[in-house]
């Protein structure tokens, strides 16, 4: 029974190479290169593999001594997971990281580090850090203050409502006092502010006006 040959992936837009073009062509290095990654054969060009000069793949196709064996078709044997090699090869082709929704970025990062593809490593790490920051963000909290003031102070109170503070409720507490010849009512003013927090603490400190509101709240 004949053993089936590994699956071959060809670079889009390119014609198939002549049979047996797995490594050297007659008289020198050929344009096409076969890579047998974990049993799956990838077919691409030497120009693609040499896109990152310091990478393992660039050194391999330039003939440096990397101790890489070949299979019966002449393809370079690389003992790595072929699942994550596709995105790496495509990155060398067009400079973009494209992943299936179920593909783990950690796996692609591991392979990118093995092949020493610096730009791809930085892109993946930046994406992972951005996701971690989004996940660890703390939902905003609401801080409430109850301020006691006289009727004549309400206008001044409105003018100091800044830095995100807003009125929630105004309650007439029913007491009054004489101010000169006029009776003045007293109120409880409920204000609130939304604070956005991060894993490292509050995003901003209370301003001078916020502290003023807090100080007024101690009159309760």
């Amino acid at each position: 029974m004949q053993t089936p040959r590994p699956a071959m992936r060809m670079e889009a837009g390119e014609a198939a190479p002549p049979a047996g073009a797995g490594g050297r062509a007659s008289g020198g290095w050929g344009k096409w290169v076969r890579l047998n990654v974990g049993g799956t054969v990838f077919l691409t060009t030497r120009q693609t593999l040499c896109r990152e000069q310091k990478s393992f793949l660039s050194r391999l196709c330039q003939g440096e001594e990397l101790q890489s064996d070949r299979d019966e078709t002449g393809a370079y044997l690389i003992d790595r997971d072929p699942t994550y090699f596709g995105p790496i090869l495509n990155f060398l082709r067009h400079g973009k990281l494209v992943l299936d929704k179920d593909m783990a970025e950690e796996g692609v990062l591991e392979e990118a580090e093995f092949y020493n593809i610096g730009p791809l490593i930085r892109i993946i790490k930046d994406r992972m850090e951005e996701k971690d920051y989004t996940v660890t963000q703390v939902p905003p909290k609401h801080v409430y203050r109850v301020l006691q003031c006289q009727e004549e102070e309400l206008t001044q109170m409105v003018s100091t409502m800044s830095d995100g503070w807003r009125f929630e409720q105004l309650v007439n507490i029913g007491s009054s006092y004489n101010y000169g010849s006029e009776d003045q009512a007293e109120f409880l003013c409920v204000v609130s502010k939304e604070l956005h927090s991060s894993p490292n603490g509050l995003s901003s400190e209370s301003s001078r006006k916020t502290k003023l509101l807090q100080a007024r709240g101690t009159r309760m």
Side-chain angles (χ1 to χ4, degrees):
M1 180 176 177
Q2 186 176 1
T3 303
R5 300 181 66 179
M8 180 179 297
R9 302 184 185 180
M10 295 183 61
E11 186 169 7
E14 296 285 355
R24 293 179 182 272
S26 177
W29 288 97
K31 174 182 178 182
W32 291 92
V33 180
R34 281 191 177 91
L35 303 172
N36 187 333
V37 182
T40 301
V41 174
F42 294 82
L43 183 61
T44 186
T45 63
R46 195 170 305 280
Q47 180 181 5
T48 294
L49 296 180
C50 293
R51 193 68 44 84
E52 290 297 325
Q53 296 296 321
K54 296 182 180 180
S55 71
F56 168 87
L57 297 172
S58 177
R59 296 169 58 196
L60 182 69
C61 70
Q62 289 178 4
E64 296 190 21
E65 298 180 0
L66 295 179
Q67 301 298 322
S68 180
D69 296 330
R70 301 194 187 200
D71 64 14
E72 66 278 3
T73 69
Y76 290 104
L77 287 167
I78 303 176
D79 186 21
R80 303 296 294 185
D81 191 339
T83 303
Y84 301 109
F85 187 73
I88 289 177
L89 186 57
N90 284 330
F91 177 81
L92 293 175
R93 287 167 174 162
H94 48 61
K96 297 180 181 179
L97 175 61
V98 180
L99 301 178
D100 294 336
K101 64 179 182 178
D102 296 327
M103 181 169 291
E105 291 179 332
E106 292 84 351
V108 182
L109 176 60
E110 183 71 22
E111 297 305 295
E113 291 176 338
F114 171 80
Y115 294 111
N116 192 31
I117 304 177
L120 180 56
I121 293 173
R122 290 190 291 272
I123 289 175
I124 298 175
K125 286 185 175 180
D126 288 344
R127 286 177 53 160
M128 293 174 63
E129 289 177 0
E130 183 178 350
K131 286 184 177 180
D132 289 342
Y133 175 77
T134 302
V135 170
T136 55
Q137 276 187 314
V138 179
K141 296 187 299 184
H142 287 83
V143 177
Y144 293 88
R145 294 286 183 265
V146 179
L147 313 177
Q148 184 175 357
C149 60
Q150 286 79 43
E151 184 176 1
E152 65 176 5
E153 295 177 324
L154 287 177
T155 301
Q156 183 182 0
M157 181 72 67
V158 172
S159 66
T160 60
M161 297 306 296
S162 60
D163 296 319
W165 289 96
R166 67 179 184 181
F167 279 110
E168 293 290 344
Q169 190 175 7
L170 186 64
V171 180
N172 189 331
I173 60 177
S175 62
S176 62
Y177 70 100
N178 291 101
Y179 181 77
S181 60
E182 299 179 356
D183 291 335
Q184 296 287 332
E186 288 192 308
F187 296 88
L188 294 181
C189 181
V190 181
V191 297
S192 69
K193 181 178 183 180
E194 188 178 81
L195 296 180
H196 293 272
S197 302
S198 67
N200 297 324
L202 295 178
S203 58
S204 61
E205 296 182 357
S206 297
S207 66
R208 179 184 62 81
K209 290 184 178 180
T210 302
K211 292 179 180 179
L212 175 62
L213 289 173
Q214 292 173 341
R216 290 191 174 188
T218 61
R219 297 174 55 182
M220 286 289 296

